[in-house]
PDB file of all heavy atoms in Angstrom:
ATOM      1  N   ASP A  93      16.843   8.961 -10.104  1.00  0.00           N
ATOM      2  CA  ASP A  93      17.131   9.254 -11.409  1.00  0.00           C
ATOM      3  C   ASP A  93      17.751   8.202 -12.211  1.00  0.00           C
ATOM      4  O   ASP A  93      17.400   7.877 -13.299  1.00  0.00           O
ATOM      5  CB  ASP A  93      18.101  10.562 -11.447  1.00  0.00           C
ATOM      6  CG  ASP A  93      17.376  11.832 -10.945  1.00  0.00           C
ATOM      7  OD1 ASP A  93      16.260  11.904 -11.112  1.00  0.00           O
ATOM      8  OD2 ASP A  93      18.141  12.677 -10.458  1.00  0.00           O
ATOM      9  N   LYS A  94      18.649   7.479 -11.483  1.00  0.00           N
ATOM     10  CA  LYS A  94      19.322   6.325 -12.132  1.00  0.00           C
ATOM     11  C   LYS A  94      18.260   5.217 -12.367  1.00  0.00           C
ATOM     12  O   LYS A  94      18.274   4.602 -13.440  1.00  0.00           O
ATOM     13  CB  LYS A  94      20.476   5.831 -11.391  1.00  0.00           C
ATOM     14  CG  LYS A  94      21.056   4.426 -11.885  1.00  0.00           C
ATOM     15  CD  LYS A  94      22.501   4.188 -11.309  1.00  0.00           C
ATOM     16  CE  LYS A  94      22.933   2.770 -11.739  1.00  0.00           C
ATOM     17  NZ  LYS A  94      22.637   2.578 -13.218  1.00  0.00           N
ATOM     18  N   ILE A  95      17.473   4.993 -11.385  1.00  0.00           N
ATOM     19  CA  ILE A  95      16.423   3.867 -11.455  1.00  0.00           C
ATOM     20  C   ILE A  95      15.547   4.237 -12.748  1.00  0.00           C
ATOM     21  O   ILE A  95      15.308   3.364 -13.494  1.00  0.00           O
ATOM     22  CB  ILE A  95      15.642   3.778 -10.254  1.00  0.00           C
ATOM     23  CG1 ILE A  95      16.454   3.205  -9.038  1.00  0.00           C
ATOM     24  CG2 ILE A  95      14.331   2.909 -10.418  1.00  0.00           C
ATOM     25  CD1 ILE A  95      15.764   3.171  -7.745  1.00  0.00           C
ATOM     26  N   ASN A  96      15.008   5.585 -12.824  1.00  0.00           N
ATOM     27  CA  ASN A  96      14.163   5.930 -13.965  1.00  0.00           C
ATOM     28  C   ASN A  96      14.871   5.659 -15.133  1.00  0.00           C
ATOM     29  O   ASN A  96      14.116   5.160 -16.152  1.00  0.00           O
ATOM     30  CB  ASN A  96      13.859   7.289 -13.649  1.00  0.00           C
ATOM     31  CG  ASN A  96      12.921   7.564 -12.470  1.00  0.00           C
ATOM     32  OD1 ASN A  96      12.463   6.612 -11.734  1.00  0.00           O
ATOM     33  ND2 ASN A  96      12.783   8.801 -12.146  1.00  0.00           N
ATOM     34  N   SER A  97      16.081   6.054 -15.371  1.00  0.00           N
ATOM     35  CA  SER A  97      16.756   5.863 -16.674  1.00  0.00           C
ATOM     36  C   SER A  97      16.985   4.467 -16.957  1.00  0.00           C
ATOM     37  O   SER A  97      16.858   3.936 -18.148  1.00  0.00           O
ATOM     38  CB  SER A  97      17.932   6.663 -16.761  1.00  0.00           C
ATOM     39  OG  SER A  97      19.070   6.187 -15.903  1.00  0.00           O
ATOM     40  N   ASP A  98      17.245   3.665 -15.960  1.00  0.00           N
ATOM     41  CA  ASP A  98      17.482   2.200 -16.096  1.00  0.00           C
ATOM     42  C   ASP A  98      16.140   1.564 -16.550  1.00  0.00           C
ATOM     43  O   ASP A  98      16.084   0.552 -17.509  1.00  0.00           O
ATOM     44  CB  ASP A  98      17.840   1.477 -14.901  1.00  0.00           C
ATOM     45  CG  ASP A  98      19.376   1.833 -14.517  1.00  0.00           C
ATOM     46  OD1 ASP A  98      20.021   2.336 -15.458  1.00  0.00           O
ATOM     47  OD2 ASP A  98      19.789   1.465 -13.421  1.00  0.00           O
ATOM     48  N   ILE A  99      14.911   1.954 -15.949  1.00  0.00           N
ATOM     49  CA  ILE A  99      13.594   1.342 -16.444  1.00  0.00           C
ATOM     50  C   ILE A  99      13.507   1.814 -17.838  1.00  0.00           C
ATOM     51  O   ILE A  99      12.982   0.979 -18.596  1.00  0.00           O
ATOM     52  CB  ILE A  99      12.585   1.971 -15.515  1.00  0.00           C
ATOM     53  CG1 ILE A  99      12.640   1.481 -14.094  1.00  0.00           C
ATOM     54  CG2 ILE A  99      11.056   1.633 -16.040  1.00  0.00           C
ATOM     55  CD1 ILE A  99      11.792   2.172 -13.154  1.00  0.00           C
ATOM     56  N   THR A 100      13.704   3.016 -18.291  1.00  0.00           N
ATOM     57  CA  THR A 100      13.433   3.488 -19.594  1.00  0.00           C
ATOM     58  C   THR A 100      14.226   2.745 -20.559  1.00  0.00           C
ATOM     59  O   THR A 100      13.719   2.498 -21.668  1.00  0.00           O
ATOM     60  CB  THR A 100      13.828   5.060 -19.658  1.00  0.00           C
ATOM     61  OG1 THR A 100      13.128   5.688 -18.572  1.00  0.00           O
ATOM     62  CG2 THR A 100      13.471   5.503 -20.999  1.00  0.00           C
ATOM     63  N   SER A 101      15.511   2.353 -20.270  1.00  0.00           N
ATOM     64  CA  SER A 101      16.294   1.578 -21.199  1.00  0.00           C
ATOM     65  C   SER A 101      15.863   0.145 -21.298  1.00  0.00           C
ATOM     66  O   SER A 101      16.241  -0.516 -22.289  1.00  0.00           O
ATOM     67  CB  SER A 101      17.763   1.801 -20.853  1.00  0.00           C
ATOM     68  OG  SER A 101      18.139   1.304 -19.539  1.00  0.00           O
ATOM     69  N   THR A 102      15.341  -0.452 -20.169  1.00  0.00           N
ATOM     70  CA  THR A 102      14.823  -1.797 -20.142  1.00  0.00           C
ATOM     71  C   THR A 102      13.529  -1.908 -20.893  1.00  0.00           C
ATOM     72  O   THR A 102      13.261  -2.884 -21.671  1.00  0.00           O
ATOM     73  CB  THR A 102      14.708  -2.345 -18.806  1.00  0.00           C
ATOM     74  OG1 THR A 102      16.061  -2.201 -18.120  1.00  0.00           O
ATOM     75  CG2 THR A 102      14.509  -3.811 -18.725  1.00  0.00           C
ATOM     76  N   ILE A 103      12.607  -0.997 -20.481  1.00  0.00           N
ATOM     77  CA  ILE A 103      11.321  -0.957 -21.101  1.00  0.00           C
ATOM     78  C   ILE A 103      11.158   0.079 -22.068  1.00  0.00           C
ATOM     79  O   ILE A 103      10.948   1.274 -21.625  1.00  0.00           O
ATOM     80  CB  ILE A 103      10.154  -0.983 -20.066  1.00  0.00           C
ATOM     81  CG1 ILE A 103      10.343  -2.022 -18.954  1.00  0.00           C
ATOM     82  CG2 ILE A 103       8.725  -0.938 -20.656  1.00  0.00           C
ATOM     83  CD1 ILE A 103      10.068  -3.528 -19.494  1.00  0.00           C
ATOM     84  N   THR A 104      11.249  -0.164 -23.386  1.00  0.00           N
ATOM     85  CA  THR A 104      11.421   1.057 -24.238  1.00  0.00           C
ATOM     86  C   THR A 104      10.150   1.597 -24.821  1.00  0.00           C
ATOM     87  O   THR A 104      10.099   2.527 -25.542  1.00  0.00           O
ATOM     88  CB  THR A 104      12.328   0.606 -25.578  1.00  0.00           C
ATOM     89  OG1 THR A 104      11.678  -0.521 -26.067  1.00  0.00           O
ATOM     90  CG2 THR A 104      13.592   0.312 -24.991  1.00  0.00           C
ATOM     91  N   SER A 105       9.094   1.042 -24.360  1.00  0.00           N
ATOM     92  CA  SER A 105       7.648   1.566 -24.801  1.00  0.00           C
ATOM     93  C   SER A 105       7.582   2.944 -24.314  1.00  0.00           C
ATOM     94  O   SER A 105       7.918   3.400 -23.261  1.00  0.00           O
ATOM     95  CB  SER A 105       6.590   0.701 -24.144  1.00  0.00           C
ATOM     96  OG  SER A 105       5.392   1.451 -24.087  1.00  0.00           O
ATOM     97  N   PRO A 106       7.041   3.831 -25.302  1.00  0.00           N
ATOM     98  CA  PRO A 106       6.750   5.262 -24.920  1.00  0.00           C
ATOM     99  C   PRO A 106       5.848   5.368 -23.758  1.00  0.00           C
ATOM    100  O   PRO A 106       5.873   6.297 -22.960  1.00  0.00           O
ATOM    101  CB  PRO A 106       6.152   5.772 -26.215  1.00  0.00           C
ATOM    102  CG  PRO A 106       5.782   4.693 -27.068  1.00  0.00           C
ATOM    103  CD  PRO A 106       6.707   3.593 -26.621  1.00  0.00           C
TER     104      PRO A 106
END
Side-chain angles (χ1 to χ4, degrees):
Chain A
D93 288 336
K94 172 159 174 50
I95 290 173
N96 294 350
S97 70
D98 286 351
I99 293 171
T100 308
S101 57
T102 306
I103 306 290
T104 54
S105 157

